[in-house]
């Protein structure tokens, strides 16, 4: 069989005069492109008879690809969840804040304490993130510690870091934007891999049926 092993569609088409636009032709091109080899002999019909790969070998290749597809699909779902979490981060915390006593303490202070209200407006403190463990300590200190509040306000007003944007929460915005960007890139990459695997599985299905004839 070694002398009949073919590893490219060009050689196959030269040896066997097969239709150009048949589904088997498309399947062959993809099969060869992924490194597949075929051994075939001429038959009475238009298409040669496939000697190798055998149906059993094709089933084995199919099983490998299906396992890979499951793995990629799980990873894709994970990245889609990360993307959704990043995109809904602020809206989720806008709802969660209402269950936080600290948030209502902030609301109360903005109503009765004009100095506090001025500082809050100056630094644009992300109070709506009070349910996020990363931001809660800062929010708590700002609300309850006058010295901390004044120091933070002064820093935001004078630091070059906040020269063009005095929004303390800009880091949270940048982080979610970065997470969205990374997630979208991973999803695009995995979508392409899954589409390629699906196309290869379709090709194997056609070749398996052909090899069984």
């Amino acid at each position: 069989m070694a002398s009949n092993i073919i590893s490219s569609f060009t050689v196959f088409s030269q040896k066997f005069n097969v239709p150009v636009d048949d589904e088997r032709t498309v399947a062959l091109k993809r099969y060869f492109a992924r490194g597949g080899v075929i051994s075939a002999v001429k038959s009475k019909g238009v298409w040669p008879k496939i000697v190798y790969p055998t149906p059993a070998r094709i089933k084995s290749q199919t099983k490998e690809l299906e396992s890979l597809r499951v793995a990629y699909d799980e990873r894709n779902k994970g990245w889609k969840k990360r993307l959704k979490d990043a995109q809904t981060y602020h809206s989720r915390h806008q709802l969660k804040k209402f269950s936080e006593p600290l948030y209502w303490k902030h609301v109360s202070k903005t109503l009765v304490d004009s100095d506090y209200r001025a500082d809050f407006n100056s630094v644009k403190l992300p109070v709506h993130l009070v349910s996020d463990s990363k931001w809660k300590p800062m929010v708590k200190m700002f609300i309850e510690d006058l010295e901390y509040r004044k120091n933070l306000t002064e820093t935001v007003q004078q630091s070059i870091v906040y020269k063009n944007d005095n929004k303390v929460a800009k880091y949270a915005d940048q982080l979610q934007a970065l997470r969205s960007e990374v997630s979208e890139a991973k999803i695009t990459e995995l979508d392409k891999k899954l589409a390629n695997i699906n196309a290869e599985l379709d090709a194997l299905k056609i070749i398996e049926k052909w090899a069984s004839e």
Side-chain angles (χ1 to χ4, degrees):
M1 185 182 76
S3 61
N4 292 324
I5 290 179
I6 301 170
S7 59
S8 77
F9 179 76
T10 300
V11 174
F12 189 93
S13 61
Q14 288 173 348
K15 187 168 184 177
F16 304 105
N17 186 21
V18 297
V20 177
D21 56 354
D22 193 274
E23 65 174 9
R24 288 183 177 181
T25 303
V26 176
L28 276 173
K29 288 180 178 179
R30 181 164 288 278
Y31 186 74
F32 283 129
R34 69 184 298 266
V37 295
I38 285 179
S39 177
V41 294
K42 290 183 178 180
S43 67
K44 294 180 180 180
V46 176
W47 289 92
K49 177 177 176 57
I50 291 182
V51 178
Y52 182 87
T54 63
R57 172 56 183 156
I58 297 172
K59 280 184 170 63
S60 175
Q61 292 174 314
T62 298
K63 187 175 181 180
E64 291 173 4
L65 278 176
E66 286 175 341
S67 295
L68 188 59
R69 179 171 63 180
V70 169
Y72 282 154
D73 190 52
E74 286 301 312
R75 287 170 58 186
N76 208 19
K77 288 177 182 177
W79 282 110
K80 286 180 178 178
K81 183 181 183 304
R82 291 185 183 94
L83 176 60
K84 183 178 180 181
D85 287 345
Q87 291 175 333
T88 61
Y89 176 76
H90 286 292
S91 59
R92 282 186 290 112
H93 283 286
Q94 287 287 6
L95 294 175
K96 287 183 176 182
K97 70 183 181 183
F98 296 117
S99 62
E100 291 285 343
L102 200 57
Y103 171 73
W104 294 109
K105 188 172 184 179
H106 155 74
V107 172
S108 177
K109 292 197 73 168
T110 58
L111 293 175
V112 301
D113 188 335
S114 60
D115 185 57
Y116 174 87
R117 184 167 60 250
D119 289 341
F120 169 71
N121 291 331
S122 177
V123 302
K124 295 182 173 61
L125 188 74
V127 177
H128 70 288
L129 300 180
V130 66
S131 62
D132 187 329
S133 59
K134 298 182 185 67
W135 287 95
K136 190 169 187 175
M138 174 186 280
V139 174
K140 181 177 175 64
M141 289 286 286
F142 187 88
I143 294 172
E144 299 179 351
D145 189 322
L146 176 61
E147 183 179 359
Y148 174 84
R149 189 178 88 222
K150 289 301 180 182
N151 286 337
L152 180 60
T153 302
E154 182 180 357
T155 298
V156 171
Q157 290 174 340
Q158 298 181 6
S159 174
I160 190 172
V161 175
Y162 297 97
K163 183 177 181 181
N164 298 318
D165 185 359
N166 66 339
K167 185 179 180 183
V168 171
K170 66 180 179 179
Y171 171 73
D173 295 338
Q174 292 168 348
L175 180 60
Q176 300 314 314
L178 176 61
R179 286 175 175 171
S180 293
E181 184 179 342
V182 171
S183 297
E184 287 171 347
K186 289 293 184 180
I187 290 168
T188 298
E189 176 187 336
L190 288 166
D191 280 344
K192 289 180 180 178
K193 288 182 177 180
L194 285 166
N196 188 54
I197 287 175
N198 286 332
E200 290 185 359
L201 285 170
D202 288 341
L204 285 175
K205 184 177 180 180
I206 292 169
I207 294 175
E208 181 185 356
K209 182 179 178 182
W210 178 11
S212 300
E213 294 178 352

